[in-house]
Amino acid sequence: AQRVTQPEKLLSVFKGAPVELKCNYSYSGSPELFWYVQYSRQRLQLLLRHISRESIKGFTADLNKGETSFHLKKPFAQEEDSAMYYCALTSGSARQLTFGSGTQLTVLP
Amino acid sequence: SAVISQKPSRDICQRGTSLTIQCQVDSQVTMMFWYRQQPGQSLTLIATANQGSEATYESGFVIDKFPISRPNLTFSTLTVSNMSPEDSSIYLCSVSKSAEAFFGQGTRLTVV
C-alpha cells in the first residue's frame, strides 16, 4: 500500500531563511507526487507537481526515487508562505490522492 | 480548472442524527472524491463517487455509514449517518481535472 510521510508537524523559520519541508513516500509503482498548500481560511490548492518540474512562488521539489523523497524547498522564505503544506501521491486510474499528515509552516518576521 | 461549492460549511449535530453534505461542481466530471480530515490528522479518502454506479469505498468506510449519491456529472452528496462524536471532522469534496485535484471549502462537522 502507498504511504506518504511528513516527519515535521510544525516548522518555523525566519523571513529570508531557507526552508525545506520533508516528504518521503512508499509506493510500488511509478509515483506521481504533489505538494498541496492551504493558506489560512482558504481551500486546499495545488502548489506544484513533480512531473512539471516547475517553480511556483519560489518553491521547488525534486523527486528522488533512490531516497523515495519529494522534499519541498525555498531558498528565501516569506511571511506569506506561512500555511499548511501537504505532500500527496496519486495512485490508480481514478487519480485519488494519498496525503501525508501535513506540515504547518510559520515564517517569522 | 474546477470550482466546487460545498455546503453546509459547518454544522453542529446531535449524536444519532444524520447530515447530508452537498457538493456542486461548475463542470462535468467523471469522478468525485470524498475525504475526511479528523482533528490534527491528514486527509483520508472515504470513497470515490461515479455517476451511474455505486460509489467505491476505501477500507474502513462502509456504505451504511456514509451513503453517497451521484445523480449527475456535476453533483454529489455524502451523508454521515447515525453520528457519534468520533465523526467530528472536516469533510471535503474533490474532483480531478488535468491531473490536478480541486477541493471544496470543506464542511466542519461537530457532533455533540
Side-chain angles (χ1 to χ4, degrees):
Chain A
Q2 60 269 15
R3 175 176 286 188
V4 179
T5 303
Q6 293 179 252
E8 305 137 329
K9 265 188 148 19
L10 303 169
L11 182 62
S12 294
V13 300
F14 285 101
K15 176 182 172 183
V19 61
E20 180 180 67
L21 288 80
K22 291 186 166 47
C23 172
N24 288 91
Y25 66 90
S26 62
Y27 183 59
S28 56
S30 289
E32 198 169 341
L33 285 141
F34 305 83
W35 278 98
Y36 282 83
V37 60
Q38 188 166 26
Y39 300 102
S40 179
R41 296 194 181 87
Q42 295 187 29
R43 63 186 67 193
L44 196 59
Q45 60 187 282
L46 177 68
L47 179 63
L48 54 79
R49 68 191 89 180
H50 91 271
I51 57 173
S52 301
R53 293 183 171 273
E54 57 199 345
S55 173
I56 303 292
K57 299 184 179 182
F59 284 98
T60 59
D62 291 319
L63 179 61
N64 186 324
K65 292 187 178 181
E67 296 182 358
T68 59
S69 68
F70 188 56
H71 303 325
L72 183 68
K73 300 177 184 179
K74 185 169 182 177
F76 307 104
Q78 303 298 314
E79 289 181 70
E80 55 265 30
D81 296 327
S82 296
M84 189 71 167
Y85 291 81
Y86 293 96
C87 184
L89 178 155
T90 193
S91 60
S93 57
R95 303 194 65 78
Q96 58 267 51
L97 290 163
T98 299
F99 285 90
S101 53
T103 298
Q104 178 67 51
L105 173 66
T106 302
V107 181
L108 303 166
Chain B
S1 69
V3 178
I4 300 175
S5 300
Q6 189 175 334
K7 58 181 181 182
S9 58
R10 59 178 63 225
D11 207 341
I12 301 173
C13 300
Q14 296 288 326
R15 67 177 68 200
T17 62
S18 298
L19 175 72
T20 295
I21 303 167
Q22 298 180 8
C23 179
Q24 178 77 51
V25 190
D26 67 342
S27 56
Q28 294 185 341
V29 291
T30 305
M31 295 181 184
M32 297 176 75
F33 305 99
W34 287 98
Y35 291 88
R36 181 177 73 181
Q37 186 174 26
Q38 292 179 300
Q41 298 191 28
S42 187
L43 289 82
T44 301
L45 182 65
I46 297 172
T48 303
N50 307 299
Q51 196 269 332
S53 63
E54 284 214 355
T56 304
Y57 289 82
E58 298 299 304
S59 175
F61 298 97
V62 295
I63 187 171
D64 289 345
K65 176 67 177 177
F66 298 101
I68 287 172
S69 79
R70 185 79 201 276
N72 57 54
L73 290 172
T74 63
F75 187 79
S76 178
T77 67
L78 170 77
T79 299
V80 186
S81 304
N82 188 24
M83 288 183 284
S84 66
E86 291 71 38
D87 294 320
S88 297
S89 291
I90 297 173
Y91 293 84
L92 287 154
C93 171
S94 174
V95 302
S96 181
K97 276 203 150 185
S98 302
E100 178 176 345
F102 297 88
F103 293 86
Q105 73 271 35
T107 297
R108 184 180 294 272
L109 170 63
T110 303
V111 183
V112 297

